Amino acid sequence: MRTVSKLFAIAVTFLLMFQFGVSKAQDLTLTNTPDARLYEAFGNDRVAFLKQNNPDLIGYYNFFLDNAFTITQHPVEKIAGIITSCPLLKLKNGSLTIDKPDMVKGTKSINILKYLYKIEQNKTTQYRLDDSGIVIVFYPAKYFTEKYNKARNL
């Protein structure tokens, strides 16, 4: 009876690992259907042009929106240091509005394409969204490119 229980436990473990792997692979798959945030950042005309002429770029931007950075909320006692050491993320133009990210939704709750920033090749870069302790941490370009290429080859 113990042998059957152990085999069952092993089978369930493998099944869960497989399901986790499939769900993670789905997170990394590319879609050429424009994310709604692309319309806000680029406008309807540019998105329509890209859909028609370069749908792979839509897939790249969609992937970038959710995978090029992470959001961190720092505790109140660290905010003063962040304000002095971390540059402020600025909008590309004044007609856009600043996002208030939902930490539970993570990167899906901010349209990073509306902002001005620089991504380094081999190191992370950080920007503060405001004076609340929310920091956007961009992964190195090299890391993101590897992740994107892996997703393209799935």
Side-chain angles (χ1 to χ4, degrees), residues 47-136:
V47 172
F49 176 83
L50 291 173
K51 280 174 62 175
Q52 180 72 31
N53 298 298
N54 195 350
D56 289 340
L57 191 53
I58 295 283
Y60 174 83
Y61 284 133
N62 286 341
F63 191 81
F64 186 88
L65 281 167
D66 293 329
N67 297 282
F69 64 99
T70 189
I71 302 171
T72 305
Q73 173 71 60
H74 290 279
V76 175
E77 61 271 7
K78 292 190 176 190
I79 293 176
I82 290 168
I83 291 172
T84 60
S85 65
C86 196
L88 183 65
L89 197 60
K90 296 179 183 168
L91 291 167
K92 287 183 178 179
N93 72 55
S95 67
L96 299 169
T97 58
I98 294 173
D99 296 320
K100 183 67 177 166
D102 179 339
M103 298 309 289
V104 174
K105 293 181 182 176
T107 59
K108 292 192 180 301
S109 67
I110 186 171
N111 186 347
I112 204 64
L113 296 173
K114 299 187 317 184
Y115 298 90
L116 298 169
Y117 46 84
K118 182 180 177 188
I119 299 176
E120 296 288 334
Q121 181 66 25
N122 293 308
K123 65 180 185 175
T124 60
T125 51
Q126 300 180 52
Y127 293 88
R128 61 187 167 88
L129 191 59
D130 51 24
D131 293 344
S132 68
I134 296 174
V135 174
I136 309 297

Side-chain angles (χ1 to χ4, degrees), residues 20-70:
F20 179 74
V22 169
S23 70
K24 281 309 208 185
Q26 288 173 341
D27 288 347
L28 294 177
T29 57
L30 302 177
T31 177
N32 292 345
T33 303
D35 184 296
R37 294 173 288 180
L38 296 182
Y39 291 100
E40 182 184 15
F42 300 140
N44 293 339
D45 292 341
R46 182 165 179 207
V47 172
F49 176 83
L50 291 173
K51 280 174 62 175
Q52 180 72 31
N53 298 298
N54 195 350
D56 289 340
L57 191 53
I58 295 283
Y60 174 83
Y61 284 133
N62 286 341
F63 191 81
F64 186 88
L65 281 167
D66 293 329
N67 297 282
F69 64 99
T70 189

